[in-house]
Amino acid sequence: MIEAADDRITVLVVDDDKAFCQAMAGALRRRGLAVVVAHNYDDALAEAEAWSPDRAVVDLRMPGRSGLELVAALRRNDPHMGIVVLTGYGSIATAIEAIKLGATYYLTKPAEADDILAAFTRTAPVMVEMPSPQSAKPLDELEWEHLQAVLTDCRGNISEAARRLGMHRRSLQRKLARGRPSHEGSPAPVGDSPAAAPGGTT
């Protein structure tokens, strides 16, 4: 719940992980911001309508409608809202999609409050570095990128993504739970770890 109405910047924090929401809300309040918390798409839109927040921090993957859908809806309701997307499943495909839908910036979990605040103030466009032709990726990393692209096309629906990929839903969940493959000399990005395993959107 938001504190008393005032002239502070208001941030909407949306994540199905309630412990994360509480921790992030506390960190942002200590930095002088007013905070509204929601745990899913519908509640987030209701809070946004009630409080008209200046900024939003949106988790990419939540049960039900995804964070990407929420980004689009928030942007339609308020074209001037700053939106930072958080995810434990960082990939080129989801980064590009989030920015196309209107996100200000894209961060992988775990992200600190200061990182998020800095992301809101970025003025330069997000640049996604593409690999050079000489730097061929290992097969398992290419597979990971493909899984992420299909999952993005399915708006985070694991069952639909598994159907398109021709694999069992649980097999896809296990692959996602393992995170991005880590190879010597090219460690996995922060946040792509088994600890960030999906809850399983149906």
Side-chain angles (χ1 to χ4, degrees):
M1 178 180 296
I2 193 171
E3 298 176 0
D6 51 35
D7 59 356
R8 290 179 299 167
I9 292 174
T10 301
V11 180
L12 171 63
V13 178
V14 189
D15 196 306
D16 61 311
D17 184 336
K18 295 182 180 181
F20 170 83
C21 276
Q22 291 176 354
M24 183 56 64
L28 292 173
R29 289 183 180 123
R30 288 192 294 273
R31 287 160 175 78
L33 289 82
V35 182
V36 180
V37 171
H39 304 301
N40 57 56
Y41 177 96
D42 292 330
D43 289 349
L45 287 187
E47 295 290 0
E49 183 176 351
W51 299 106
S52 300
D54 307 285
R55 300 173 178 176
V57 181
V58 178
D59 184 31
L60 184 65
R61 292 186 53 76
M62 297 180 288
R65 303 185 72 172
S66 72
L68 287 178
E69 292 179 275
L70 179 57
V71 168
L74 291 173
R75 179 61 66 190
R76 285 194 300 269
N77 293 345
D78 182 358
H80 303 293
M81 181 186 294
I83 304 173
V84 169
V85 172
L86 299 182
T87 181
Y89 307 90
S91 74
I92 292 175
T94 47
I96 292 174
E97 186 65 18
I99 301 305
K100 283 181 178 179
L101 290 173
T104 306
Y105 202 66
Y106 177 97
L107 296 173
T108 54
K109 289 182 177 181
E112 301 295 333
D114 289 337
D115 296 328
I116 292 172
L117 293 178
F120 279 123
T121 61
R122 288 182 64 94
T123 56
V126 177
M127 299 300 292
V128 180
E129 184 177 349
M130 301 298 289
S132 65
Q134 290 77 25
S135 58
K137 293 183 178 180
L139 184 58
D140 55 356
E141 190 169 346
L142 290 173
E143 180 191 38
W144 170 260
E145 291 289 351
H146 178 60
L147 294 180
Q148 290 295 320
V150 173
L151 194 59
T152 298
D153 288 343
C154 296
R155 297 184 179 275
N157 187 315
I158 292 180
S159 296
E160 175 61 18
R163 187 188 68 78
R164 294 190 189 183
L165 290 164
M167 66 172 61
H168 194 280
R169 182 175 180 274
R170 290 184 179 178
S171 298
L172 177 56
Q173 286 182 305
R174 283 196 294 270
K175 287 178 179 291
L176 293 172
R178 286 197 293 267
R180 181 187 291 272
S182 177
H183 298 278
E184 185 177 355
S186 57
V190 174
D192 286 348
S193 66
T201 301
T202 56

